[in-house]
Amino acid sequence: MSTFGAGNSNKSTDQNPNKSFEVTQPPTDSVSSLSFSPKANFLVATSWDNQVRCWEIVRNGINLGSTPKASISHDQPVLCSTWKDDGTTVFSGGCDKQAKMWPLASGGQPMTVAMHDAPIKEIAWIPEMSLLVTGSFDKTVKYWDTRQSNPVHSQQLPDRCYALAVSHPLMVVGTADRNMVVFNLQNPQTEYKRIISPLKFQTRCVAAFPDKQGFLVGSIEGRVGVHHLDDAQQSKNFTFKCHRDTSTNEIYSVNSLNFHPVHHTFATAGSDGAFNFWDKDSKQRLKAMNRCSQPIPCSTFNNDGSIFAYSSCYDWSKGAENHNPATAKTYIFLHLPQEAEVKAKPKAPTGRK
C-alpha cells in the first residue's frame, strides 16, 4: 500500500501482466465504453468498429468464462453505453449523433430514442426519473422519455460534453474548457453549481461520490481531483498524481474512474496501461496493478464489485504514427479483485487520548 501520488512500475511488453481473464471474440477496433448489467453478469462493450456487443460472464470458482450473446450496429463509431436499471435494455450513443435503445432481454430490435446535432459522448439512465440523459459535442445535455420522439428537456452547456456521471439527485457534467457543471436532478432545468475543474488540464472522466456529496475528476495530465460540493467541506478537497512513469517522466491520461459499489473505494485506469485501486478517505493507494503494454481506455465494476472489467487497446493518445495495425489488438480483460485491493484499511490509531 502506498500514499497518493505514486507512479506505476515500468511498462511491460506483456499484453496481460495481471493474469486477468480474457473475454472471447473482442471488438475489431478500440473499445470506447464498458457497462455491466445492474442485475446479472452481462457485459456490454461499445467500439470504434460501430458495434455494441454483449457477453455473458460466468464465474466458476476462481475462473471466469465469457460467451458472446448478441450485437447490434450503429452507422458510425459508438462512444458510450448504459443499462436500464431492470437489466432488460441497453442504451448506446455515438458519432452517428443518435442513441439507440436495445431491448436485449426480449430479443427485440434496436430503435433510435435520442438525437443530437453532433456525436453523443455520454449516456446514462436515471431510474428515479425513468429518463435517459445524453451529453453531446453539440454543447447540450438532453433528457428523454424513451416513448417520445422529442426530449423532455434540453439543457445548454458552456461547451462540449466530455464526461458525465449520475448518482441521483447528483449529476456532474465535465465539458471542454475545464467547466464542471453540477445539477440537482430534482430541479434539472437549473444549474446547481458551476466550477472550473481543480485540474489544470482537459477533463477526461468524472465519477459521482456514492454518498452524493461530491465527485472525482480525471484529466489528461495524470491527475485526479477529489471535490466536495458543500462549501463547509472544501478543506477536504485535494488532487493527486497518478498514471505517470517516474523512470521516464512520461505523463498519461486518466481515462476511467469507477467507484466500488460496496466498499466505495475507487479504481482509476489510464493510458499508461495500468489500473489502480484507491481510498479517497484515507488518501491511500490500496493496490497498483502491473502495466499492460497498451492503454486502458475504459473500465467498470459489475453490480456487486466482484468483477472489474477493463479494455486494453490503442487509444490514439500518441497519434497515427504510433498505431501499428499488425500489433494493435483489442482486449477486454476481467479481474477478480481481492478484498485487500478494494476494501478500505481500518484507520490506524493516532496514539492521542
Side-chain angles (χ1 to χ4, degrees):
M1 188 169 67
S2 80
T3 55
F4 275 32
N8 284 71
S9 57
N10 288 352
K11 191 149 191 176
S12 137
T13 53
D14 188 348
Q15 300 281 13
N16 184 15
N18 297 294
K19 307 292 184 281
S20 301
F21 298 95
E22 196 175 327
V23 171
T24 57
Q25 297 179 36
T28 58
D29 204 340
S30 298
V31 177
S32 52
S33 77
L34 292 167
S35 305
F36 265 110
S37 163
K39 294 295 186 186
N41 285 330
F42 289 98
L43 176 66
V44 156
T46 60
S47 170
W48 288 83
D49 67 6
N50 302 6
Q51 298 285 306
V52 185
R53 293 173 175 82
C54 179
W55 296 262
E56 183 176 12
I57 310 300
V58 178
R59 184 165 184 174
N60 183 2
I62 59 169
N63 293 311
L64 287 175
S66 54
T67 306
K69 300 303 280 188
S71 66
I72 63 165
S73 297
H74 280 245
D75 293 334
Q76 292 184 35
V78 197
L79 302 179
C80 54
S81 57
T82 192
W83 287 77
K84 202 170 181 180
D85 56 306
D86 61 7
T88 64
T89 306
V90 171
F91 301 98
S92 53
C95 295
D96 54 9
K97 309 176 193 173
Q98 57 180 291
K100 293 194 176 188
M101 178 173 72
W102 181 19
L104 191 61
S106 66
Q109 291 301 304
M111 57 185 290
T112 298
V113 292
M115 295 289 292
H116 278 266
D117 296 328
I120 296 174
K121 174 62 171 63
E122 296 289 335
I123 195 164
W125 175 256
I126 310 173
E128 296 84 355
M129 303 168 76
S130 293
L131 294 177
L132 184 71
V133 62
T134 52
S136 169
F137 290 160
D138 69 7
K139 306 182 184 180
T140 66
V141 161
K142 295 183 180 181
Y143 302 86
W144 305 86
D145 180 330
T146 57
R147 300 164 297 184
Q148 301 172 9
S149 58
N150 291 320
V152 177
H153 174 61
S154 181
Q155 180 74 30
Q156 196 67 35
L157 295 172
D159 214 319
R160 299 179 301 285
C161 174
Y162 282 170
L164 181 150
V166 176
S167 180
H168 189 274
L170 171 63
M171 183 171 82
V172 183
V173 182
T175 76
D177 213 22
R178 298 172 46 241
N179 292 288
M180 306 297 301
V181 190
V182 181
F183 294 93
N184 178 349
L185 291 173
Q186 289 157 339
N187 185 17
Q189 301 186 11
T190 309
E191 289 184 15
Y192 175 75
K193 187 178 273 193
R194 187 191 294 190
I195 66 167
I196 296 297
S197 168
L199 309 178
K200 293 185 174 67
F201 289 82
Q202 183 189 105
T203 299
R204 178 53 59 90
C205 49
V206 295
F209 290 0
D211 65 6
K212 310 165 200 321
Q213 299 303 303
F215 59 86
L216 306 173
V217 55
S219 79
I220 60 169
E221 188 243 350
R223 207 180 286 261
V224 169
V226 180
H227 189 85
H228 296 75
L229 294 173
D230 184 352
D231 290 339
Q233 302 276 312
Q234 297 306 296
S235 62
K236 290 186 177 180
N237 295 346
F238 65 97
T239 66
F240 66 93
K241 299 174 185 176
C242 51
H243 300 285
R244 294 165 177 236
D245 188 330
T246 50
S247 63
T248 63
N249 291 325
E250 283 190 280
I251 298 171
Y252 296 87
S253 172
V254 182
N255 295 329
S256 191
L257 292 161
N258 314 109
F259 273 103
H260 191 281
V262 176
H263 300 306
H264 297 171
T265 53
F266 66 93
T268 63
S271 290
D272 60 339
F275 60 100
N276 303 310
F277 300 111
W278 311 84
D279 176 18
K280 69 177 173 61
D281 299 323
S282 67
K283 298 188 179 181
Q284 286 181 316
R285 182 166 68 180
L286 301 173
K287 179 70 174 180
M289 307 304 292
N290 294 319
R291 289 174 63 184
C292 302
S293 57
Q294 296 187 105
I296 301 177
C298 50
S299 57
T300 189
F301 285 105
N302 70 336
N303 62 343
D304 65 2
S306 62
I307 303 172
F308 181 73
Y310 62 101
S311 177
S312 172
C313 51
Y314 190 50
D315 64 355
W316 297 85
S317 58
K318 293 188 175 181
E321 62 272 18
N322 278 276
H323 176 62
N324 182 350
T327 58
K329 192 185 170 208
T330 296
Y331 297 90
I332 297 173
F333 292 122
L334 305 171
H335 172 71
L336 293 175
Q338 304 300 304
E339 188 170 88
E341 296 172 1
V342 291
K343 188 174 182 182
K345 306 286 189 290
K347 288 200 169 94
T350 60
R352 293 179 184 172
K353 293 285 191 225

